[in-house]
Amino acid sequence: MLEVRNLHASVGGTEILKGLNLTMKPGEVHAIMGPNGAGKSTLAYVLAGRDGYDVTEGSISFCGQDLCKLNVDERAAAGVFLAFQYPLEIPGVPTMTFLRTAVNAQRKARGEKEMDAPSFLRLIREKSKMFKVEDKMLKRPLNVGFSGGEKKRMEVLQMAALEPKLAILDETDSGLDIDSLRIVAEGVNALRSPDHSALVITHYQRLLDYIVPDVVHVLADGRIVKSGDKTLALELEEHGYEAIATDAA
Amino acid sequence: MSQVDEKVEDLQDNAGDKYKYGFVTDIETEKAPKGLSRETVRFISAKKNEPEWMLEWRLEAFERWLQMEEPTWPKVTYPEIDFQDAYYYAAPKSNDDRPKSLDEVDPELLRTYEKLGIPLIEQQMLAGVAVDAVFDSVSVVTTFKERLAEDGVIFCPISEALQSHPELVRKYLGTVVPQSDNFYAALNSAVFSDGSCVYIPKGVRCPMELSTYFRINEAETGQFERTLIIAEEGAYCSYLEGCTAPQRDENQLHAAVVELVILKDAEIKYSTVQNWYPGNADGEGGIYNFVTKRADCRGDNAKVSWTQVETGSAVTWKYPSCILRGDNSVGEFYSIAITNNHQQADTGTKMIHLGKNTSSRIISKGISAGKSQSTYRGLVSAHKRAANARNYTQCDSLLIGDTCGAHTVPYIEVNNPSVMIEHEATTSKISEEQLFYTRQRGIDEEAAVALIVNGFCREVMQQLPMEFAVEAQKLVAISLEGSVG
């Protein structure tokens, strides 16, 4: 489903990713762990296609498509979703309007019929319950004045509404209390199916107690230096990144 | 050369040709002599069969205009206008001079109509295509007028009102915007072509939104439009001006005057969507729009609300104002001004607090993109006897790209210690992060900009009547096309 080969990417002329390889099969959940500055968020942005994150070498193939040839919104329509570490505020745009615009833009890009207001409302009501998002929050401008936890829950609600083939969660657990963490994890688990994969970027093992990954990778200095099953995460927690990274090198 | 210029040239060439071959008479007699003189003013007044006092009034305005100078204080630049090199009166064009079908109309214009979802028959009217006299909206207009007449509401072209209700016009015309108010108002007073006259009798709540849309099939009134609205004691009306579709006009200079008279306990809501031709992407062509709009709250508890969405014109100079004379009267100004490419807008409002406990509210949203310049210029003034007057001003500018400019020039004059004035101003940019976030959800770049800008304007959009607001949102998107990427 996702095949990243020898990926080199730079930001403002500085090379951050230095030959990264990553293969994900349909339905798998992979975790990426690593120290600060290893290139975790850069990987997320490169996959999403953010301007200024330039691929200088290597390839990214997603469901048979060359992802590098698509722009940001085309990638989104193709099924790549990024839950932001710091979700942005969009003043004056009610959350519901934003969600509906996004869902219909993607449907349109894929040549599907746009959703009418009543069916959309039903869809969102149902998903909102799962993430404990209240109706009045949906009427407020997106993320404006939301608490950290509310913003993260809103990210996962958007993910649930858009049903991406690949959900990338960029440190979604940072700054979350245990209840919100559980809610977020349940959302990801609910989406888990042969058609939906997730790439969970995290600093801490804690989130992986709730979202159990099929594969854990250690990212250090722009490369995956070690991969293993879920026990690798526990190992990391115990010995720290440095030991693992040195060991691998 | 722009479409408009070309068209003008075309017409002039044609006129010249016809002259050469000697069948010129019809056309020439329908046109005032070129340039502006006492004779031109007399010609216009005579053509309209106006009462003697009206002619005198126009001539007075003309004399004053001669002594005035074009204002240079607005932050706009444009080539010098040669007022003697223009025509000030042309009879409505005959069908022979109009495009025969939409095939002859600029495809770019049609593409925009398409996007706005404008029905074919309206597209033809807007593009000035010759259409048969018999079309649906005629009957609509008739029904509409009958319904208004039941309540004693007058809603007609001002030229018609001068014939049917001359005393009404005489009583109020120029009492809010005097002939010599400013250079363009004086020009308008001398040569105004036509416009609307509305009268709402005492205690009547106008049963429907009055829209210039219903006047669209009447004579072309674009250039020097003059509008007069009177709301008698306790009356209410909501007036919609303009339309979201880009309007073609062969005259580059527009100088309109709007006067609102609001008596005790009365209220007028005046909404404008202005979308005159802005010129092409290189800044060639486009309308110069110099407008004087003013409301006079003459009685206690009178209320006026101006809402405007300005997206068109190459140069805009416009300050819809409120004179809050009656005690407890209320003035509101809600504005969205969008400039793109080489457009320039210097717009804002004046709130003149004269009465006690008067209050005013200003919400201005300026969006600049491309190489455009947008200025908010506003005056809040409270006179000696305006005890406890209140004003709240919020002035937000949004920049798209780094080659445009936004400027805020507030003037505040307070002569009473009990007055309270608040002014808030912000300038922001659509951040790369906001755009990335929105696009990551699958919304393409242009739609993302439109969504963010509409969010920015929301407070003002909410003031517009429902159908107007929906169209205005689409218009925002269209106005900003090509502003990013």
Side-chain angles (χ1 to χ4, degrees):
Chain A
M1 190 224 30
L2 181 71
E3 183 85 49
V4 180
R5 285 209 179 280
N6 187 32
L7 184 66
H8 290 254
S10 34
V11 181
T14 308
E15 186 165 75
I16 309 283
L17 300 183
K18 304 167 180 171
L20 184 141
N21 291 298
L22 175 67
T23 305
M24 286 176 72
K25 297 205 184 84
E28 284 182 347
V29 171
H30 288 214
I32 297 218
M33 303 182 75
N36 282 328
K40 298 192 301 289
S41 287
T42 301
L43 174 62
Y45 289 148
V46 168
L47 290 175
R50 184 171 185 173
D51 285 345
Y53 289 72
D54 305 317
V55 173
T56 51
E57 212 187 317
S59 64
I60 309 169
S61 157
F62 175 68
C63 300
Q65 278 180 291
D66 179 356
L67 211 54
C68 296
K69 287 201 176 129
L70 305 182
N71 68 30
V72 184
D73 44 273
E74 288 164 347
R75 292 184 199 200
V80 177
F81 177 89
L82 172 61
F84 281 54
Q85 189 178 355
Y86 304 107
L88 276 294
E89 298 184 359
I90 313 288
V93 179
T95 300
M96 203 61 162
T97 308
F98 184 88
L99 283 174
R100 188 160 170 232
T101 310
V103 167
N104 279 335
Q106 291 203 10
R107 294 178 75 102
K108 205 174 153 193
R110 291 193 293 257
E112 296 163 16
K113 207 170 156 260
E114 291 182 33
M115 249 181 163
D116 58 36
S119 19
F120 182 77
L121 199 66
R122 232 173 294 135
L123 172 79
I124 295 302
R125 284 259 161 80
E126 177 199 322
K127 307 268 183 196
S128 304
K129 261 188 224 135
M130 195 162 133
F131 300 108
K132 304 215 164 31
V133 169
E134 286 172 39
D135 258 18
K136 63 169 195 254
M137 208 160 126
L138 294 170
K139 286 179 189 145
R140 282 162 57 187
L142 183 65
N143 293 331
V144 178
F146 288 18
S147 71
E150 283 174 333
K151 283 184 183 172
K152 294 297 174 73
R153 291 207 311 264
M154 190 52 77
E155 289 295 285
V156 197
L157 170 61
Q158 291 185 44
M159 179 190 75
L162 292 165
E163 300 187 329
K165 287 188 187 133
L166 172 66
I168 306 163
L169 286 84
D170 186 8
E171 302 203 16
T172 302
D173 52 334
S174 66
L176 279 196
D177 58 47
I178 199 74
D179 293 332
S180 295
L181 191 71
R182 249 187 222 134
I183 292 170
V184 165
E186 275 166 25
V188 176
N189 289 331
L191 195 66
R192 219 165 166 165
S193 80
D195 297 327
H196 300 286
S197 313
L199 186 62
V200 181
I201 295 172
T202 180
H203 227 53
Y204 303 104
Q205 198 270 333
R206 191 174 66 149
L207 178 65
L208 305 181
D209 285 341
Y210 300 98
I211 306 171
V212 181
D214 298 299
V215 186
V216 175
H217 306 277
V218 180
L219 179 62
D221 195 25
R223 269 184 294 259
I224 304 264
V225 293
K226 191 165 187 177
S227 304
D229 62 14
K230 61 184 178 185
T231 56
L232 179 58
L234 295 166
E235 218 176 297
L236 278 170
E237 188 95 334
E238 202 171 321
H239 302 295
Y241 290 118
E242 203 155 337
I244 300 282
T246 324
D247 188 36
Chain B
M1 192 183 271
S2 78
Q3 293 292 333
V4 172
D5 283 350
E6 248 167 37
K7 188 72 199 170
V8 172
E9 197 115 299
D10 246 28
L11 279 175
Q12 285 166 351
D13 281 357
N14 276 338
D17 278 354
K18 285 181 183 171
Y19 188 65
K20 221 179 332 184
Y21 295 105
F23 47 88
V24 65
T25 40
D26 281 31
I27 289 191
E28 286 300 307
T29 51
E30 289 304 310
K31 237 181 196 175
K34 196 175 194 175
L36 191 46
S37 64
R38 291 181 73 86
E39 283 61 52
T40 320
V41 177
R42 281 180 194 285
F43 180 93
I44 293 170
S45 191
K47 271 284 164 198
K48 293 178 172 293
N49 195 25
E50 286 175 352
E52 184 62 23
W53 64 265
M54 191 68 244
L55 171 64
E56 290 305 322
W57 194 85
R58 285 179 182 271
L59 286 171
E60 233 174 78
F62 175 70
E63 295 300 335
R64 299 298 288 267
W65 180 76
L66 284 177
Q67 290 152 30
M68 296 173 91
E69 276 176 29
E70 215 175 325
T72 52
W73 48 262
K75 197 175 162 44
V76 293
T77 50
Y78 50 90
E80 203 182 323
I81 299 169
D82 182 353
F83 291 93
Q84 296 305 337
D85 187 34
Y87 290 97
Y88 290 86
Y89 177 85
K93 269 199 294 294
S94 78
N95 279 354
D96 292 349
D97 292 332
R98 293 164 179 266
K100 299 287 174 292
S101 74
L102 283 175
D103 299 340
E104 295 175 32
V105 174
D106 180 5
E108 189 64 21
L109 198 65
L110 296 181
R111 205 178 58 89
T112 309
Y113 289 162
E114 205 69 39
K115 285 195 179 169
L116 283 165
I118 295 175
L120 200 65
I121 187 84
E122 285 172 39
Q123 291 190 20
Q124 291 176 332
M125 289 192 288
L126 289 164
V129 171
V131 279
D132 288 339
V134 192
F135 56 82
D136 293 348
S137 71
V138 170
S139 54
V140 174
V141 172
T142 315
T143 328
F144 178 77
K145 284 193 168 165
E146 280 169 5
R147 175 69 189 85
L148 289 177
E150 279 174 32
D151 283 335
V153 173
I154 299 169
F155 177 42
C156 64
I158 199 162
S159 57
E160 198 179 306
L162 273 164
Q163 307 300 323
S164 56
H165 303 85
E167 287 318 306
L168 180 74
V169 178
R170 190 174 190 177
K171 184 173 172 193
Y172 291 106
L173 189 74
T175 62
V176 184
V177 179
Q179 290 138 295
S180 57
D181 188 78
N182 66 67
F183 184 82
Y184 298 110
L187 178 65
N188 175 288
S189 301
V191 299
F192 73 83
S193 29
D194 212 336
S196 302
C197 179
V198 177
Y199 176 82
I200 317 286
K202 191 171 169 179
V204 169
R205 199 180 160 87
C206 187
M208 50 190 93
E209 310 261 1
L210 298 177
S211 166
T212 48
Y213 175 86
F214 288 103
R215 258 190 26 215
I216 209 162
N217 59 327
E218 289 172 13
E220 289 166 3
T221 52
Q223 194 177 11
F224 298 105
E225 191 160 351
R226 184 106 198 173
T227 297
L228 175 63
I229 303 179
I230 302 126
E232 285 280 7
E233 233 180 275
Y236 167 85
C237 88
S238 165
Y239 185 87
L240 313 181
E241 169 195 57
C243 63
T244 49
Q247 281 173 289
R248 260 173 55 110
D249 193 290
E250 281 143 18
N251 301 299
Q252 189 165 37
L253 174 66
H254 282 231
V257 171
V258 175
E259 298 179 277
L260 310 184
V261 178
I262 305 137
L263 300 177
K264 190 166 175 276
D265 300 322
E267 179 179 354
I268 296 179
K269 258 178 90 80
Y270 194 106
S271 312
T272 307
V273 172
Q274 185 269 115
N275 191 17
W276 293 107
Y277 182 57
N280 67 13
D282 297 321
E284 291 160 331
I287 302 282
Y288 299 162
N289 198 25
F290 303 114
V291 185
T292 308
K293 289 183 167 178
R294 196 172 301 152
D296 191 355
C297 289
R298 291 203 179 151
D300 294 350
N301 314 314
K303 186 177 174 188
V304 61
S305 177
W306 297 102
T307 306
Q308 58 172 22
V309 180
E310 300 275 320
T311 66
S313 300
V315 178
T316 302
W317 180 97
K318 181 180 174 187
Y319 317 91
S321 306
C322 305
I323 300 171
L324 304 172
R325 201 184 299 275
D327 290 347
N328 313 314
S329 55
V330 178
E332 292 174 337
F333 174 74
Y334 298 97
S335 168
I336 297 170
I338 300 179
T339 52
N340 196 359
N341 297 319
H342 290 263
Q343 282 176 276
Q344 308 170 69
D346 193 308
T347 182
T349 183
K350 288 190 269 186
M351 294 291 176
I352 316 287
H353 293 259
L354 301 177
K356 294 188 193 68
N357 306 317
T358 48
S359 66
S360 61
R361 183 178 169 85
I362 299 170
I363 308 285
S364 162
K365 305 278 181 178
I367 298 108
S368 328
K371 295 190 169 63
S372 69
Q373 294 289 329
S374 174
T375 302
Y376 167 82
R377 190 183 300 277
L379 167 70
V380 178
S381 148
H383 286 237
K384 233 176 181 164
R385 58 170 292 269
N388 300 314
R390 295 280 180 274
N391 164 263
Y392 174 75
T393 300
Q394 185 189 329
C395 210
D396 299 322
S397 309
L398 185 70
L399 303 171
I400 301 174
D402 50 16
T403 52
C404 56
H407 318 272
T408 301
V409 192
Y411 303 82
I412 296 174
E413 299 167 2
V414 177
N415 290 303
N416 182 306
S418 64
V419 169
M420 264 175 58
I421 288 177
E422 288 175 77
H423 182 98
E424 285 178 26
T426 66
T427 302
S428 52
K429 281 186 87 161
I430 294 189
S431 70
E432 183 271 332
E433 278 186 304
Q434 265 181 332
L435 266 184
F436 171 58
Y437 182 71
T438 308
R439 292 181 64 198
Q440 209 297 309
R441 299 305 182 241
I443 300 166
D444 71 41
E445 193 161 22
E446 283 191 345
V449 169
L451 187 73
I452 294 168
V453 171
N454 270 314
F456 173 77
C457 302
R458 188 157 174 247
E459 281 166 280
V460 176
M461 288 289 185
Q462 283 172 333
Q463 298 297 325
L464 288 170
M466 187 63 180
E467 335 65 57
F468 235 34
V470 173
E471 282 185 43
Q473 284 183 13
K474 286 193 214 162
L475 182 59
V476 166
I478 291 170
S479 308
L480 290 169
E481 269 180 12
S483 64
V484 285

